[in-house]
Amino acid sequence: MPITVASATEDHAMTFHQYRLEDMGRMRVRKYCEIEDREVDQGEIGKGYQLTREQVIPISDEGLGCPVPGQDHAGPPRSVGSWSHHRPQWLLATISSAA
């Protein structure tokens, strides 16, 4: 049965930025390496779990993945389409006019 994916919610979020009160200059966040004392690019930043004060276990995005129930029947998630996985969705049956 063909289906269509439709958003079940609307985005009504307001976004704010941080500004310095004195001159309304926009505030930015820069990421510095504590060991090398330098600013780093986003591509150099990874995730990790701090096990002890001295020991960090690196975590990859693939390592955080969760199995999808029934994935062996539905195929890989990328075949579903580019709809948003983090927002509620409606699955609507597509009715054909040709009967």
Side-chain angles (χ1 to χ4, degrees):
M1 171 186 293
I3 62 167
T4 302
V5 179
S7 176
T9 63
E10 292 182 34
D11 186 8
H12 295 287
M14 293 176 57
T15 59
F16 296 96
H17 299 289
Q18 292 182 332
Y19 291 90
R20 184 173 178 216
L21 294 175
E22 182 179 323
D23 57 10
M24 295 308 287
R26 176 89 183 264
M27 303 305 299
R28 303 286 180 184
V29 176
R30 296 186 181 189
K31 309 225 177 184
Y32 277 83
C33 175
E34 293 177 353
I35 295 172
E36 296 182 9
D37 193 30
R38 69 174 181 88
E39 189 173 343
V40 296
D41 294 325
Q42 186 63 36
E44 298 178 77
I45 299 172
K47 297 177 182 86
Y49 173 75
Q50 188 170 1
L51 189 59
T52 67
R53 183 172 274 190
E54 296 80 27
Q55 186 178 11
V56 176
I57 300 170
I59 306 291
S60 67
D61 287 338
E62 294 80 22
L64 292 174
C66 298
V68 177
Q71 181 173 333
D72 55 334
H73 301 291
R78 72 177 73 76
S79 70
V80 173
S82 60
W83 51 278
S84 176
H85 295 278
H86 62 278
R87 300 179 95 182
Q89 305 288 325
W90 290 106
L91 297 179
L92 308 171
T94 305
I95 301 172
S96 174
S97 61

